[in-house]
Amino acid sequence: MSHADVQKSNPLTLVLMVASAAIGGTLQYGYNLAIMNAPTTFIQAFINETFLDRWEIQLEEYQVTLVWTIIVSIFSLGGFAGALIAGPMTIRFGRKKCLLLNNIFLMTGALLALTSRAARSFEMIILSRVLIGINAGISMNVQPMYFGESAPKHLRGAISLSSAVFTAFGVVLGQVAGLREILGCESCWQYLLASNAVPGFIQLLTLPWFPESPRYLLIDKGDKEACINALRRLRGCEVSSELDEIMQEQAETKGMRPKRPWELFTDRSVRWQLISVMIISSAMQLCGNDSIYFYASYVFKEGGISEEKIQYVTIGTGTCEFTACIMCNLLIERKGRRFMLTGGFIFMTIWAIVFTIALSLQNYISWMSYLSMACIFTYILSFGMGPAGVTGILPTELFNQTARPAAYMIAGSMMWINLFIIGMIFPFIVSGLKDYCFVPFGAVCLLSALYIGLFLPETKGKSLSVITSEFHKLNFKGQDRSLESLQQAEYQLGEVCHSTAL
């Protein structure tokens, strides 16, 4: 595509399509992480009342915490299930239809949450969180795929990153909706839990008007006419060069069926790509950043902030990540993926150390509690600048069209399983390790930074074949050496034979 074509193209359709897909997609993930923070005490009281009403049992505090932890963490198990069914769903229904069908889970979940109070049933809240988790799990996998396949080459990185920007925006929206003045009061918590239906409605009204992914239409469906129409609508200009590119990709993958997740594990040629995606997706959750949202008020209470002010400070954390994601969006094509990831994790390690020192000294030095709060903000900023945005792009850049849905399924599964584990053990880490609660997270960040620095090649501006050949050196390290020595031996043997012949 020449520079003139880029000038002529009309990106408005693409921008609106991104907004429509993301409002019902990754925005939901951020929103549903954040809204669970405000009604903590009200829902815990509701659980207690329910047990008293039904069985006349007065629950101990740790039992209430356990039920509450299940309500919060079951969201990630739903997400794990969603990540597993997302791959087959996109192949069967296509990217766009999959996002639209996904709202069935959301609406059912919102309805259950809305009626749970009248029905006096906390089990309905648990079921609602599972369904909303499934919704988030599907959209977290399908949306980056839809964006990556619909965006022109020069905008691919930035448009894939917009998923992370919308997640952070969802967090801010969720925190604002959870303010006591809005929906975070005792009488309104069921409306707060069901408010995620609003972005779903917006998506259902807007997304049907936009085209399906052109790559899916041609490569998976073989419908060239529909592909040309979709490209024309998304680019608004001459599309022949891009069509040739997709046709070439179709020719390359002809006769190849989409790979299944377990096939990637046995495929030697993608071993290190898979290890990299799994480690970085896991680290994104094990660094404890998303847990700060689940238990933000809890962390701030430990940091010595008064009850009334906590909700306003919490909004600051979301705004922080939102700002950082936008900055990452602007820097990623200049600085590269590896630089942003390593930098983010190194800074997070530093802030985790400072945070630990500040927490252990806050009883002796009065201003230390403010330093520990500042550390939470800088920790979130560092996370937003690197891991938050870049992690989602990696499966697109490291795997080809046939392996991509499976790679997203594995990456998504690792992310959700680790989010569940962290969600379950985080309150116990905080109560058990007290002032040293961030030490394990600091260790995870340090190890991740080391791994990326040592093993992950830079992928910025490189084609898939170049990236594959760089990984080839890692994947077949021992074999390449033995092959070289074999060739060397043959060469010498040839020389010997040649000289004797003379």
Side-chain angles (χ1 to χ4, degrees):
M1 193 185 255
S2 71
H3 189 63
D5 280 348
V6 175
Q7 292 301 310
K8 270 193 299 181
S9 73
N10 173 23
L12 187 66
T13 313
L14 187 66
V15 171
L16 290 176
M17 185 203 88
V18 165
S20 171
I23 282 170
T26 48
L27 180 127
Q28 288 283 17
Y29 169 66
Y31 189 79
N32 289 307
L33 274 183
I35 54 172
M36 288 316 279
N37 200 14
T40 308
T41 45
F42 309 136
I43 295 178
Q44 285 178 344
F46 174 69
I47 294 165
N48 234 333
E49 285 165 27
T50 313
F51 269 88
L52 264 175
D53 276 2
R54 278 194 217 162
W55 300 294
E56 293 177 358
I57 300 170
Q58 180 68 53
L59 289 179
E60 304 273 326
E61 193 179 325
Y62 79 90
Q63 291 170 314
V64 176
T65 309
L66 187 67
V67 178
W68 167 246
T69 310
I70 290 169
I71 288 176
V72 169
S73 299
I74 205 89
F75 173 66
S76 9
L77 281 188
F80 173 55
L84 290 181
I85 59 174
M89 267 181 82
T90 50
I91 295 163
R92 173 83 193 277
F93 298 111
R95 304 351 179 191
K96 184 178 96 170
K97 204 179 281 179
C98 187
L99 285 171
L100 289 170
L101 287 170
N102 194 15
N103 285 297
I104 297 170
F105 298 112
L106 175 79
M107 297 304 170
T108 317
L111 195 67
L112 283 169
L114 189 65
T115 50
S116 61
R117 192 171 192 166
R120 303 202 65 70
S121 160
F122 66 89
E123 295 90 345
M124 284 168 75
I125 302 178
I126 295 176
L127 191 57
S128 150
R129 292 296 287 172
V130 173
L131 289 168
I132 284 164
I134 292 174
N135 169 271
I138 292 173
S139 60
M140 288 288 277
N141 274 15
V142 180
Q143 189 189 306
M145 222 186 291
Y146 185 34
F147 285 1
E149 290 176 10
S150 302
K153 211 187 290 175
H154 64 285
L155 291 176
R156 201 168 291 159
I159 283 187
S160 300
L161 247 181
S162 62
S163 299
V165 175
F166 273 95
T167 301
F169 182 51
V171 168
V172 180
L173 272 184
Q175 289 167 340
V176 172
L179 285 174
R180 273 185 213 110
E181 294 82 1
I182 302 175
L183 289 174
C185 52
E186 205 280 326
S187 57
C188 291
W189 61 257
Q190 73 275 30
Y191 301 117
L192 177 65
L193 295 191
S195 60
N196 48 26
V198 177
F201 274 121
I202 295 173
Q203 185 182 59
L204 285 173
L205 292 173
T206 54
L207 194 62
W209 304 101
F210 294 103
E212 175 57 274
S213 144
R215 266 185 167 70
Y216 171 80
L217 289 171
L218 186 61
I219 298 174
D220 295 65
K221 281 275 173 271
D223 189 342
K224 190 175 174 182
E225 201 52 47
C227 172
I228 294 170
N229 287 338
L231 278 174
R232 284 221 176 99
R233 286 192 56 199
L234 288 170
R235 308 282 181 270
C237 64
E238 190 50 50
V239 291
S240 56
S241 59
E242 202 165 343
L243 186 67
D244 293 342
E245 200 182 300
I246 302 177
M247 299 271 283
Q248 188 188 337
E249 202 171 323
Q250 184 194 24
E252 282 169 12
T253 53
K254 221 178 187 65
M256 290 167 74
R257 57 173 180 71
K259 284 194 175 147
R260 300 193 169 92
W262 54 89
E263 290 172 353
L264 292 188
F265 285 103
T266 52
D267 188 348
R268 179 88 189 251
S269 65
V270 294
R271 180 172 295 174
W272 280 97
Q273 288 95 309
L274 196 61
I275 292 172
S276 301
V277 165
M278 284 170 73
I279 286 178
I280 297 164
S281 299
S282 304
M284 187 176 161
Q285 299 302 346
L286 294 178
C287 68
N289 183 75
D290 284 348
S291 315
I292 291 177
Y293 292 130
F294 275 154
Y295 303 100
S297 42
Y298 193 61
V299 173
F300 289 132
K301 208 157 42 184
E302 296 284 308
I305 286 198
S306 64
E307 287 282 335
E308 298 78 54
K309 294 203 184 107
I310 282 179
Q311 56 170 355
Y312 302 110
V313 179
T314 310
I315 290 182
T317 57
T319 317
C320 228
E321 188 179 329
F322 184 45
T323 316
C325 277
I326 290 174
M327 283 166 67
C328 180
N329 213 340
L330 301 172
L331 286 172
I332 186 140
E333 294 299 343
R334 290 198 188 143
K335 294 289 180 196
R337 306 356 177 192
R338 186 177 166 186
F339 176 86
M340 302 294 281
L341 274 173
T342 318
F345 279 125
I346 288 172
F347 273 116
M348 286 162 80
T349 313
I350 296 166
W351 300 128
I353 295 166
V354 178
F355 187 56
T356 306
I357 296 167
L359 279 180
S360 50
L361 292 178
Q362 71 180 13
N363 295 333
Y364 310 104
I365 304 167
S366 59
W367 52 268
M368 276 295 172
S369 64
Y370 296 106
L371 179 63
S372 61
M373 304 276 301
C375 280
I376 286 186
F377 284 108
T378 49
Y379 196 78
I380 289 173
L381 260 176
S382 310
F383 176 77
M385 285 294 288
V390 185
T391 310
I393 299 178
L394 287 177
T396 310
E397 297 204 319
L398 303 185
F399 293 93
N400 66 11
Q401 183 88 3
T402 51
R404 204 169 290 140
Y408 265 110
M409 277 166 77
I410 293 168
S413 308
M414 294 309 292
M415 202 187 87
W416 288 103
I417 291 169
N418 286 302
L419 181 62
F420 175 70
I421 294 168
I422 284 285
M424 287 303 279
I425 64 176
F426 189 80
F428 302 105
I429 288 179
V430 175
S431 56
L433 294 176
K434 299 251 179 336
D435 297 343
Y436 300 100
C437 61
F438 264 72
V439 172
F441 300 133
V444 168
C445 293
L446 183 62
L447 291 170
S448 308
L450 283 172
Y451 175 83
I452 294 159
L454 292 172
F455 295 108
L456 188 75
E458 180 53 72
T459 59
K460 181 191 76 168
K462 289 181 185 168
S463 67
L464 188 68
S465 55
V466 175
I467 298 168
T468 310
S469 68
E470 288 192 18
F471 271 108
H472 184 86
K473 292 171 200 159
L474 280 171
N475 290 330
F476 297 99
K477 217 172 196 167
Q479 289 182 353
D480 275 4
R481 285 217 189 107
S482 58
L483 201 70
E484 273 171 29
S485 57
L486 197 73
Q487 284 171 337
Q488 195 69 32
E490 280 176 4
Y491 175 67
Q492 286 167 344
L493 204 72
E495 273 192 343
V496 173
C497 299
H498 186 61
S499 56
T500 49
L502 283 170

